[in-house]
Amino acid sequence: MTRARSGLVDDERGGVERWVVWLVAVAVVVGLVGSVVYLDDELRRDSPGADFSVSFDAEAGSVTVEHAGGDVISDRTTERLAVVVRDSSAGTSAEVVWVGDSPGATKRGVGYPVAPGDSLTVDDPSVDSNGDGNYLDAERSVGFYLEPGDSVRVVWTGSMRGTERTVTLANATLE
C-alpha cells in the first residue's frame, strides 16, 4: 500500500507541475499578443498622435514649443522632428531640428524621446534676455526677428508604416 500511495503523490505533483507550466505558457502567449496588438495599432497610423502648444514671448524674442500630450516621439519611427518658423514680413523660413537621426541634429542635451512636458525654445537675435552680451539665449535660434504674424509649424518626418512621410503636427501664428 505504501507503494501505491507514493505513486499517487507523484502523480499529483506531476499534475501541479503541468498546470504551472501551462499557466506560464498562457501568460507568455497573452503578453506576446498584447505586444502585437500595440505594434499593429502603431503601424496603422501614418504619424504620431502628439499635441504641441506654442507660446510667444515678444519681450524675450522667443518661441517655446511644448509637447502637450499624446504619443511620445521616439527614434524607432522618427527620422526628424523640426520646428519651422516663417518670417511673415520677409516671406522666408527657418527650420530648427528638435531631434533627428542625422549627425549633429540633437544639441544641448535635447534628444529622443520627446515626451509630454518636453519643450524647445527658439529665439531671435534681437534681445539679450539674460544680459550676458550674447543675443542667442535659447536652445536654438533663427536668423530673423520674431514678430506677431510669423507662423510656427511642428513637422514630423518618419515612417510608421514602412514608407517615409512628412506631416505637420501643429500650426500656430504668433500674436
Side-chain angles (χ1 to χ4, degrees), residues 5-38:
R5 190 165 210 216
S6 175
L8 182 60
V9 170
D10 287 343
D11 286 343
E12 286 177 355
R13 184 184 306 149
V16 169
E17 287 173 358
R18 276 184 243 129
W19 274 101
V20 169
V21 169
W22 185 81
L23 287 173
V24 168
V26 167
V28 168
V29 168
V30 167
L32 289 174
V33 169
S35 296
V36 169
V37 168
Y38 169 76

mmCIF file of all heavy atoms in Angstrom, residues 5-38:
data_model
loop_
_atom_site.group_PDB
_atom_site.id
_atom_site.type_symbol
_atom_site.label_atom_id
_atom_site.label_comp_id
_atom_site.label_asym_id
_atom_site.label_seq_id
_atom_site.Cartn_x
_atom_site.Cartn_y
_atom_site.Cartn_z
ATOM 1 N N ARG A 5 0.476 4.545 -2.660
ATOM 2 C CA ARG A 5 0.311 5.907 -2.157
ATOM 3 C C ARG A 5 1.415 6.817 -2.677
ATOM 4 O O ARG A 5 1.181 7.954 -3.037
ATOM 5 C CB ARG A 5 0.335 5.859 -0.634
ATOM 6 C CG ARG A 5 -0.046 7.128 -0.022
ATOM 7 C CD ARG A 5 -0.332 6.874 1.420
ATOM 8 N NE ARG A 5 -1.329 7.826 1.821
ATOM 9 C CZ ARG A 5 -1.390 8.385 2.976
ATOM 10 N NH1 ARG A 5 -0.551 8.030 3.907
ATOM 11 N NH2 ARG A 5 -2.291 9.260 3.251
ATOM 12 N N SER A 6 2.637 6.298 -2.711
ATOM 13 C CA SER A 6 3.751 7.080 -3.224
ATOM 14 C C SER A 6 3.518 7.442 -4.690
ATOM 15 O O SER A 6 3.771 8.540 -5.097
ATOM 16 C CB SER A 6 5.048 6.272 -3.073
ATOM 17 O OG SER A 6 6.103 6.965 -3.654
ATOM 18 N N GLY A 7 3.005 6.530 -5.473
ATOM 19 C CA GLY A 7 2.696 6.796 -6.873
ATOM 20 C C GLY A 7 1.624 7.861 -7.005
ATOM 21 O O GLY A 7 1.673 8.698 -7.889
ATOM 22 N N LEU A 8 0.645 7.863 -6.108
ATOM 23 C CA LEU A 8 -0.425 8.843 -6.142
ATOM 24 C C LEU A 8 0.130 10.238 -5.866
ATOM 25 O O LEU A 8 -0.211 11.188 -6.545
ATOM 26 C CB LEU A 8 -1.508 8.480 -5.117
ATOM 27 C CG LEU A 8 -2.720 9.387 -5.052
ATOM 28 C CD1 LEU A 8 -3.417 9.387 -6.408
ATOM 29 C CD2 LEU A 8 -3.668 8.942 -3.960
ATOM 30 N N VAL A 9 1.033 10.361 -4.911
ATOM 31 C CA VAL A 9 1.643 11.646 -4.590
ATOM 32 C C VAL A 9 2.457 12.136 -5.781
ATOM 33 O O VAL A 9 2.381 13.281 -6.163
ATOM 34 C CB VAL A 9 2.530 11.534 -3.322
ATOM 35 C CG1 VAL A 9 3.348 12.794 -3.123
ATOM 36 C CG2 VAL A 9 1.675 11.249 -2.111
ATOM 37 N N ASP A 10 3.210 11.224 -6.401
ATOM 38 C CA ASP A 10 3.991 11.614 -7.576
ATOM 39 C C ASP A 10 3.083 12.098 -8.695
ATOM 40 O O ASP A 10 3.368 13.068 -9.359
ATOM 41 C CB ASP A 10 4.837 10.439 -8.075
ATOM 42 C CG ASP A 10 6.011 10.147 -7.146
ATOM 43 O OD1 ASP A 10 6.342 11.037 -6.341
ATOM 44 O OD2 ASP A 10 6.571 9.047 -7.240
ATOM 45 N N ASP A 11 1.937 11.424 -8.897
ATOM 46 C CA ASP A 11 1.011 11.834 -9.945
ATOM 47 C C ASP A 11 0.438 13.215 -9.649
ATOM 48 O O ASP A 11 0.296 14.035 -10.541
ATOM 49 C CB ASP A 11 -0.143 10.830 -10.081
ATOM 50 C CG ASP A 11 0.317 9.541 -10.759
ATOM 51 O OD1 ASP A 11 1.406 9.577 -11.385
ATOM 52 O OD2 ASP A 11 -0.400 8.542 -10.660
ATOM 53 N N GLU A 12 0.105 13.501 -8.381
ATOM 54 C CA GLU A 12 -0.436 14.809 -8.041
ATOM 55 C C GLU A 12 0.600 15.899 -8.272
ATOM 56 O O GLU A 12 0.308 16.960 -8.784
ATOM 57 C CB GLU A 12 -0.907 14.833 -6.586
ATOM 58 C CG GLU A 12 -2.199 14.082 -6.369
ATOM 59 C CD GLU A 12 -2.608 14.060 -4.912
ATOM 60 O OE1 GLU A 12 -1.847 14.549 -4.058
ATOM 61 O OE2 GLU A 12 -3.696 13.549 -4.633
ATOM 62 N N ARG A 13 1.839 15.621 -7.875
ATOM 63 C CA ARG A 13 2.887 16.615 -8.067
ATOM 64 C C ARG A 13 3.109 16.868 -9.555
ATOM 65 O O ARG A 13 3.239 17.987 -9.990
ATOM 66 C CB ARG A 13 4.195 16.158 -7.433
ATOM 67 C CG ARG A 13 5.255 17.250 -7.552
ATOM 68 C CD ARG A 13 6.610 16.868 -7.032
ATOM 69 N NE ARG A 13 6.526 16.388 -5.679
ATOM 70 C CZ ARG A 13 7.347 15.475 -5.173
ATOM 71 N NH1 ARG A 13 8.288 14.947 -5.912
ATOM 72 N NH2 ARG A 13 7.240 15.084 -3.929
ATOM 73 N N GLY A 14 3.110 15.828 -10.339
ATOM 74 C CA GLY A 14 3.253 15.982 -11.784
ATOM 75 C C GLY A 14 2.110 16.789 -12.362
ATOM 76 O O GLY A 14 2.302 17.612 -13.236
ATOM 77 N N GLY A 15 0.903 16.597 -11.838
ATOM 78 C CA GLY A 15 -0.243 17.373 -12.311
ATOM 79 C C GLY A 15 -0.089 18.839 -11.975
ATOM 80 O O GLY A 15 -0.388 19.712 -12.777
ATOM 81 N N VAL A 16 0.403 19.147 -10.777
ATOM 82 C CA VAL A 16 0.615 20.533 -10.359
ATOM 83 C C VAL A 16 1.696 21.166 -11.235
ATOM 84 O O VAL A 16 1.543 22.285 -11.707
ATOM 85 C CB VAL A 16 1.001 20.600 -8.860
ATOM 86 C CG1 VAL A 16 1.476 21.984 -8.484
ATOM 87 C CG2 VAL A 16 -0.171 20.175 -7.994
ATOM 88 N N GLU A 17 2.772 20.440 -11.487
ATOM 89 C CA GLU A 17 3.844 20.969 -12.325
ATOM 90 C C GLU A 17 3.338 21.250 -13.738
ATOM 91 O O GLU A 17 3.682 22.256 -14.336
ATOM 92 C CB GLU A 17 5.013 19.994 -12.365
ATOM 93 C CG GLU A 17 5.786 19.959 -11.063
ATOM 94 C CD GLU A 17 6.850 18.879 -11.044
ATOM 95 O OE1 GLU A 17 6.978 18.126 -12.030
ATOM 96 O OE2 GLU A 17 7.554 18.788 -10.033
ATOM 97 N N ARG A 18 2.495 20.355 -14.272
ATOM 98 C CA ARG A 18 1.937 20.586 -15.605
ATOM 99 C C ARG A 18 1.068 21.834 -15.624
ATOM 100 O O ARG A 18 1.107 22.600 -16.570
ATOM 101 C CB ARG A 18 1.133 19.367 -16.063
ATOM 102 C CG ARG A 18 2.033 18.314 -16.666
ATOM 103 C CD ARG A 18 1.233 17.160 -17.215
ATOM 104 N NE ARG A 18 1.640 16.008 -16.423
ATOM 105 C CZ ARG A 18 0.853 15.158 -15.804
ATOM 106 N NH1 ARG A 18 -0.435 15.266 -15.899
ATOM 107 N NH2 ARG A 18 1.342 14.182 -15.104
ATOM 108 N N TRP A 19 0.277 22.058 -14.587
ATOM 109 C CA TRP A 19 -0.572 23.253 -14.527
ATOM 110 C C TRP A 19 0.266 24.521 -14.462
ATOM 111 O O TRP A 19 -0.046 25.525 -15.097
ATOM 112 C CB TRP A 19 -1.518 23.204 -13.317
ATOM 113 C CG TRP A 19 -2.782 22.461 -13.618
ATOM 114 C CD1 TRP A 19 -3.101 21.193 -13.275
ATOM 115 C CD2 TRP A 19 -3.873 22.964 -14.379
ATOM 116 N NE1 TRP A 19 -4.316 20.862 -13.770
ATOM 117 C CE2 TRP A 19 -4.838 21.941 -14.450
ATOM 118 C CE3 TRP A 19 -4.145 24.174 -15.005
ATOM 119 C CZ2 TRP A 19 -6.034 22.089 -15.114
ATOM 120 C CZ3 TRP A 19 -5.345 24.325 -15.667
ATOM 121 C CH2 TRP A 19 -6.267 23.288 -15.722
ATOM 122 N N VAL A 20 1.340 24.498 -13.688
ATOM 123 C CA VAL A 20 2.220 25.658 -13.587
ATOM 124 C C VAL A 20 2.837 25.955 -14.953
ATOM 125 O O VAL A 20 2.848 27.106 -15.417
ATOM 126 C CB VAL A 20 3.318 25.444 -12.512
ATOM 127 C CG1 VAL A 20 4.393 26.529 -12.597
ATOM 128 C CG2 VAL A 20 2.701 25.410 -11.133
ATOM 129 N N VAL A 21 3.334 24.936 -15.629
ATOM 130 C CA VAL A 21 3.917 25.130 -16.957
ATOM 131 C C VAL A 21 2.854 25.670 -17.915
ATOM 132 O O VAL A 21 3.103 26.586 -18.701
ATOM 133 C CB VAL A 21 4.521 23.806 -17.484
ATOM 134 C CG1 VAL A 21 4.883 23.910 -18.951
ATOM 135 C CG2 VAL A 21 5.738 23.419 -16.653
ATOM 136 N N TRP A 22 1.659 25.124 -17.847
ATOM 137 C CA TRP A 22 0.575 25.563 -18.725
ATOM 138 C C TRP A 22 0.232 27.033 -18.462
ATOM 139 O O TRP A 22 0.070 27.819 -19.386
ATOM 140 C CB TRP A 22 -0.654 24.667 -18.504
ATOM 141 C CG TRP A 22 -1.769 24.967 -19.439
ATOM 142 C CD1 TRP A 22 -1.915 24.556 -20.713
ATOM 143 C CD2 TRP A 22 -2.916 25.782 -19.153
ATOM 144 N NE1 TRP A 22 -3.066 25.053 -21.256
ATOM 145 C CE2 TRP A 22 -3.707 25.814 -20.308
ATOM 146 C CE3 TRP A 22 -3.346 26.498 -18.040
ATOM 147 C CZ2 TRP A 22 -4.894 26.530 -20.383
ATOM 148 C CZ3 TRP A 22 -4.524 27.197 -18.111
ATOM 149 C CH2 TRP A 22 -5.285 27.207 -19.277
ATOM 150 N N LEU A 23 0.124 27.429 -17.199
ATOM 151 C CA LEU A 23 -0.199 28.823 -16.862
ATOM 152 C C LEU A 23 0.899 29.789 -17.319
ATOM 153 O O LEU A 23 0.617 30.875 -17.821
ATOM 154 C CB LEU A 23 -0.433 28.973 -15.359
ATOM 155 C CG LEU A 23 -1.741 28.388 -14.837
ATOM 156 C CD1 LEU A 23 -1.782 28.439 -13.313
ATOM 157 C CD2 LEU A 23 -2.921 29.124 -15.418
ATOM 158 N N VAL A 24 2.162 29.399 -17.170
ATOM 159 C CA VAL A 24 3.264 30.233 -17.631
ATOM 160 C C VAL A 24 3.200 30.391 -19.151
ATOM 161 O O VAL A 24 3.362 31.483 -19.690
ATOM 162 C CB VAL A 24 4.625 29.657 -17.193
ATOM 163 C CG1 VAL A 24 5.784 30.352 -17.898
ATOM 164 C CG2 VAL A 24 4.780 29.772 -15.680
ATOM 165 N N ALA A 25 2.915 29.305 -19.854
ATOM 166 C CA ALA A 25 2.807 29.365 -21.320
ATOM 167 C C ALA A 25 1.676 30.296 -21.745
ATOM 168 O O ALA A 25 1.825 31.100 -22.674
ATOM 169 C CB ALA A 25 2.602 27.967 -21.888
ATOM 170 N N VAL A 26 0.538 30.221 -21.060
ATOM 171 C CA VAL A 26 -0.595 31.094 -21.381
ATOM 172 C C VAL A 26 -0.211 32.556 -21.133
ATOM 173 O O VAL A 26 -0.504 33.436 -21.945
ATOM 174 C CB VAL A 26 -1.851 30.701 -20.565
ATOM 175 C CG1 VAL A 26 -2.913 31.777 -20.643
ATOM 176 C CG2 VAL A 26 -2.399 29.371 -21.056
ATOM 177 N N ALA A 27 0.475 32.830 -20.040
ATOM 178 C CA ALA A 27 0.890 34.200 -19.729
ATOM 179 C C ALA A 27 1.837 34.738 -20.803
ATOM 180 O O ALA A 27 1.726 35.896 -21.226
ATOM 181 C CB ALA A 27 1.562 34.252 -18.356
ATOM 182 N N VAL A 28 2.754 33.922 -21.277
ATOM 183 C CA VAL A 28 3.683 34.345 -22.326
ATOM 184 C C VAL A 28 2.932 34.644 -23.617
ATOM 185 O O VAL A 28 3.156 35.659 -24.263
ATOM 186 C CB VAL A 28 4.769 33.267 -22.551
ATOM 187 C CG1 VAL A 28 5.560 33.540 -23.828
ATOM 188 C CG2 VAL A 28 5.693 33.201 -21.349
ATOM 189 N N VAL A 29 1.991 33.780 -23.987
ATOM 190 C CA VAL A 29 1.213 33.995 -25.210
ATOM 191 C C VAL A 29 0.388 35.273 -25.102
ATOM 192 O O VAL A 29 0.350 36.082 -26.032
ATOM 193 C CB VAL A 29 0.312 32.769 -25.513
ATOM 194 C CG1 VAL A 29 -0.699 33.092 -26.592
ATOM 195 C CG2 VAL A 29 1.171 31.587 -25.901
ATOM 196 N N VAL A 30 -0.257 35.507 -23.970
ATOM 197 C CA VAL A 30 -1.054 36.720 -23.776
ATOM 198 C C VAL A 30 -0.154 37.952 -23.875
ATOM 199 O O VAL A 30 -0.512 38.956 -24.500
ATOM 200 C CB VAL A 30 -1.805 36.681 -22.423
ATOM 201 C CG1 VAL A 30 -2.372 38.042 -22.066
ATOM 202 C CG2 VAL A 30 -2.902 35.639 -22.475
ATOM 203 N N GLY A 31 1.031 37.897 -23.307
ATOM 204 C CA GLY A 31 1.972 39.008 -23.399
ATOM 205 C C GLY A 31 2.387 39.291 -24.829
ATOM 206 O O GLY A 31 2.450 40.431 -25.265
ATOM 207 N N LEU A 32 2.648 38.247 -25.588
ATOM 208 C CA LEU A 32 3.031 38.416 -26.995
ATOM 209 C C LEU A 32 1.888 38.997 -27.809
ATOM 210 O O LEU A 32 2.090 39.885 -28.639
ATOM 211 C CB LEU A 32 3.481 37.087 -27.590
ATOM 212 C CG LEU A 32 4.828 36.557 -27.100
ATOM 213 C CD1 LEU A 32 5.079 35.172 -27.657
ATOM 214 C CD2 LEU A 32 5.948 37.497 -27.484
ATOM 215 N N VAL A 33 0.679 38.508 -27.590
ATOM 216 C CA VAL A 33 -0.478 39.020 -28.321
ATOM 217 C C VAL A 33 -0.694 40.493 -27.995
ATOM 218 O O VAL A 33 -0.948 41.307 -28.879
ATOM 219 C CB VAL A 33 -1.747 38.187 -28.015
ATOM 220 C CG1 VAL A 33 -2.990 38.870 -28.540
ATOM 221 C CG2 VAL A 33 -1.609 36.791 -28.610
ATOM 222 N N GLY A 34 -0.546 40.871 -26.728
ATOM 223 C CA GLY A 34 -0.679 42.278 -26.335
ATOM 224 C C GLY A 34 0.347 43.145 -27.033
ATOM 225 O O GLY A 34 0.038 44.238 -27.498
ATOM 226 N N SER A 35 1.577 42.672 -27.146
ATOM 227 C CA SER A 35 2.624 43.428 -27.834
ATOM 228 C C SER A 35 2.306 43.567 -29.309
ATOM 229 O O SER A 35 2.508 44.621 -29.899
ATOM 230 C CB SER A 35 3.977 42.733 -27.678
ATOM 231 O OG SER A 35 4.345 42.720 -26.323
ATOM 232 N N VAL A 36 1.826 42.519 -29.930
ATOM 233 C CA VAL A 36 1.496 42.563 -31.351
ATOM 234 C C VAL A 36 0.340 43.529 -31.591
ATOM 235 O O VAL A 36 0.361 44.314 -32.541
ATOM 236 C CB VAL A 36 1.161 41.147 -31.887
ATOM 237 C CG1 VAL A 36 0.555 41.219 -33.271
ATOM 238 C CG2 VAL A 36 2.413 40.292 -31.889
ATOM 239 N N VAL A 37 -0.668 43.533 -30.718
ATOM 240 C CA VAL A 37 -1.792 44.453 -30.868
ATOM 241 C C VAL A 37 -1.295 45.891 -30.749
ATOM 242 O O VAL A 37 -1.662 46.743 -31.540
ATOM 243 C CB VAL A 37 -2.895 44.158 -29.824
ATOM 244 C CG1 VAL A 37 -3.915 45.267 -29.771
ATOM 245 C CG2 VAL A 37 -3.558 42.831 -30.139
ATOM 246 N N TYR A 38 -0.411 46.190 -29.785
ATOM 247 C CA TYR A 38 0.138 47.532 -29.627
ATOM 248 C C TYR A 38 0.927 47.925 -30.874
ATOM 249 O O TYR A 38 0.755 49.004 -31.414
ATOM 250 C CB TYR A 38 1.041 47.606 -28.394
ATOM 251 C CG TYR A 38 1.845 48.871 -28.317
ATOM 252 C CD1 TYR A 38 1.250 50.066 -27.942
ATOM 253 C CD2 TYR A 38 3.194 48.889 -28.658
ATOM 254 C CE1 TYR A 38 1.971 51.240 -27.891
ATOM 255 C CE2 TYR A 38 3.916 50.054 -28.619
ATOM 256 C CZ TYR A 38 3.306 51.226 -28.226
ATOM 257 O OH TYR A 38 4.023 52.392 -28.191
#
